[in-house]
Amino acid sequence: MIDWTTVVEILAAIGVGAAIGLVTARRIAMTAMPQLVAAFHSLVGLAAVLVGVAAYLNPQAFGISDLVIPLIGQPFAVIHPVSRIELGLGVAIGAITFSGSVIAFLKLNGNMGGKPIMLPGRHVINIALLAGILGLIAYFVTDQSAWIFWTITVLSFVIGFLLIVPIGGADMPVVVSMLNSYSGWAAAAMGFTLHNSAMIITGALVGSSGAILSYIMCRAMNRSFISVIAGGFGQSSDAGGPAAASDRPWKRGSAEDAAFLMSQAEQVIIVPGYGMAVAQAQHVLREMGDKLKAEGVRVKYAIHPVAGRMPGHMNVLLAEANVPYDDVFELEDINSEFAQTDVAFVIGANDVTNPAAKTDKSSPIYGMPVLDVEKAKTVLFIKRSMGGVGYAGVDNDLFYRDNTMMLLADAKKMVEDIVKALD
C-alpha cells in the first residue's frame, strides 16, 4: 500500500532542492562555475555520509540487518557483514569528497591562497590515516561498535582535508576532476546500501568518467596520476623568474597596434584563459574573430587542457559565444602551428603559456606542457597589469620576450577597442 504522506514528503524535498539548485545556477557567474562545481561535489559527499549515518542508526529501515534477540537484554539489529563494508566505504569516500571539495571551493573562491600548503611528513600522515581507515573498515565487519563507525567517519573527513591542502592552484582543474570521480564512487557505494541500481550505475559512470578525465589531464600536465590520488603533488611557488617584473624590460601596445598587426596577418591563433572568463569577453572575442575572417585572416583558437579553473572551462565559454567547433583546437593538435603563425593573441591565459615550464626546473609548473605561443612572430598578451601573476603564483617569462607586446587593460574593454579599430 502506498504511503502518500511519505510520497508527499519526498516530492516536497525534491521541489525544495530543485528550486535552490535552479536559483543558484541562474545567479552564479560563469567565472564562479568552478567553485559551484566544487560545492556540488561537497554536497554529494555529504549526502553519502548522511545516508550512511542513517543506515547505521536504523539498519532495519534499509533492509541491511537481522533482528537478534539475546537471552537477556533488549533486541538489537545486526548489520549484514557485506553491508558493513558498503557502509564503511561509502561513508569514507563521501567524507573525503566533502572535506576535499570544501577546501577546493575555498581555494577557487579566493578564501584560501592558491599556493600549496606543505605539511611536514604529509605523505606519512596520509598513508597512516588511509591504512587506519581501511583497517577499521575491515574490523567493522566483525564488530559494529559505534566508536569504529564514527572513527572511520572522522578520519575520512581529516584525510580529505589533508589531501587537497598541499595542492597548488595550477593543479586545481585536476583536483576538481578527481573530486568529481570521488563523488561518483561515493554515490555508487551508497547505492549498494540502499539496494538502488540507478545510484550504483550512475555513480559508477560518474566515478569512472571522472577518473579517466583526471588521467587524461594528468598526462596533459605531465603529472603522475598516483600523486593526484595521494595528494600534495603541488610544489612551492617561490620561483618567480630571474628578476622582478618591474626590473625587466617589456613592450606595451595599443588596441590600434593589435588591430593593425592582426589585420595584416595570414593566421592568428587566439589563446583564451581565465582572464577572458573574468571579463566575460568571449562574445566580443568571437566578434573580433569574425571580423578578421572577413578580411581573409585564418583564425583558430588554442585550448590548453587545464586553462581556467575546471576541465573544459574554456570550451564551455567559447561554445556559449557560438565559436565554431572546427575553429577550436587542443594543445597537441595546434602547438606545432605557432612557429608558422603571424600573431598569437593571448587573452588572460597565464600559466599555460609560460615558457618557464620548459626551462626553469625550480618553477612549480616545470614539466607541464604549455602552448608554444612564444614561437609566433608576434605575441599580443592582454593583461590587467604587469604586477599580477598567474594562479600558480609565478611570473610569466613570455611578458619580456622581444616578440611580445603587452596590452594592459580589462580584457573585454581591450577587445572591444580592437574591434572598433578593425572597422
Side-chain angles (χ1 to χ4, degrees):
M1 187 174 180
I2 300 176
D3 185 349
W4 289 106
T5 301
T6 302
V7 171
V8 171
E9 291 175 349
I10 293 173
L11 292 176
I14 293 174
V16 171
I20 294 174
L22 179 63
V23 172
T24 302
R26 289 179 65 89
R27 290 185 177 181
I28 201 75
M30 183 59 70
T31 52
M33 195 59 65
Q35 295 94 300
L36 181 65
V37 171
F40 283 165
H41 289 164
S42 72
L43 294 178
V44 174
L46 183 60
V49 173
L50 293 177
V51 170
V53 170
Y56 176 76
L57 296 177
N58 190 7
Q60 287 182 285
F62 290 81
I64 60 173
S65 71
D66 295 317
L67 187 64
V68 174
I69 302 177
L71 294 176
I72 300 175
Q74 296 294 323
F76 62 92
V78 177
I79 301 174
H80 301 151
V82 174
S83 296
R84 296 185 198 181
I85 297 175
E86 296 165 0
L87 270 180
L89 289 175
V91 168
I93 300 173
I96 291 171
T97 303
F98 173 74
S99 56
S101 298
V102 169
I103 298 302
F105 172 86
L106 294 176
K107 287 198 171 193
L108 290 167
N109 203 46
N111 302 108
M112 289 182 66
K115 291 185 178 182
I117 301 173
M118 298 302 183
L119 303 175
R122 63 190 182 280
H123 293 305
V124 175
I125 295 173
N126 290 345
I127 292 173
L129 285 173
L130 181 60
I133 292 170
L134 294 176
L136 286 170
I137 291 175
Y139 188 40
F140 189 53
V141 177
T142 61
D143 184 354
Q144 66 178 59
S145 297
W147 74 267
I148 301 176
F149 178 81
W150 294 114
T151 302
I152 292 171
T153 305
V154 172
L155 290 181
S156 299
F157 279 125
V158 172
I159 197 172
F161 169 83
L162 294 177
L163 285 174
I164 307 303
V165 162
I167 298 177
D171 302 317
M172 198 52 62
V174 185
V175 173
V176 172
S177 176
M178 203 66 231
L179 289 170
N180 178 50
S181 178
Y182 290 166
S183 68
W185 296 124
M190 285 300 104
F192 283 103
T193 300
L194 298 174
H195 306 294
N196 189 315
S197 299
M199 283 187 66
I200 296 171
I201 294 171
T202 55
L205 285 172
V206 172
S208 57
S209 60
I212 292 170
L213 177 59
S214 299
Y215 176 73
I216 293 172
M217 294 178 69
C218 285
R219 289 186 60 186
M221 295 179 66
N222 195 31
R223 305 294 197 193
S224 166
F225 183 68
I226 300 300
S227 67
V228 179
I229 299 174
F233 63 107
Q235 301 176 11
S236 66
S237 40
D238 294 332
S246 59
D247 296 334
R248 304 173 65 183
W250 52 278
K251 293 187 294 186
R252 181 168 187 170
S254 64
E256 290 73 19
D257 297 330
F260 175 78
L261 289 169
M262 287 191 287
S263 64
Q264 301 301 309
E266 292 185 8
Q267 176 165 289
V268 173
I269 297 180
I270 299 172
V271 181
Y274 188 65
M276 182 193 75
V278 172
Q280 300 184 30
Q282 61 269 27
H283 295 282
V284 69
L285 185 67
R286 179 193 57 79
E287 184 181 352
M288 184 191 80
D290 290 344
K291 284 186 175 293
L292 290 173
K293 288 179 183 178
E295 297 189 19
V297 181
R298 289 194 307 275
V299 177
K300 297 182 178 181
Y301 297 79
I303 305 295
H304 192 281
V306 295
R309 295 293 186 268
M310 68 178 184
H313 199 177
M314 295 301 106
N315 302 75
V316 171
L317 291 176
L318 294 181
E320 181 192 15
N322 295 319
V323 171
Y325 180 78
D326 293 338
D327 292 348
V328 181
F329 297 86
E330 301 295 333
L331 178 146
E332 62 272 11
D333 297 323
I334 201 169
N335 236 9
S336 60
E337 293 193 32
F338 281 103
Q340 292 80 43
T341 296
D342 298 296
V343 177
F345 185 84
V346 184
I347 174 168
N350 204 331
D351 297 323
V352 298
T353 62
N354 193 339
K358 297 177 284 188
T359 59
D360 186 0
K361 292 185 178 181
S362 65
S363 173
I365 61 173
Y366 179 73
M368 181 180 80
V370 293
L371 292 161
D372 295 332
V373 295
E374 78 278 3
K375 295 182 180 179
K377 293 179 182 178
T378 301
V379 178
L380 300 175
F381 202 115
I382 296 182
K383 195 172 183 290
R384 281 186 174 274
S385 69
M386 292 299 294
V389 294
Y391 202 52
V394 293
D395 201 11
N396 192 341
D397 289 344
L398 182 64
F399 302 159
Y400 315 104
R401 296 287 179 113
D402 291 336
N403 62 330
T404 299
M405 181 181 294
M406 301 299 299
L407 306 174
L408 303 183
D410 172 79
K412 185 176 182 180
K413 179 65 167 58
M414 175 58 71
V415 178
E416 287 174 343
D417 290 343
I418 292 174
V419 169
K420 291 177 183 178
L422 286 171
D423 290 335

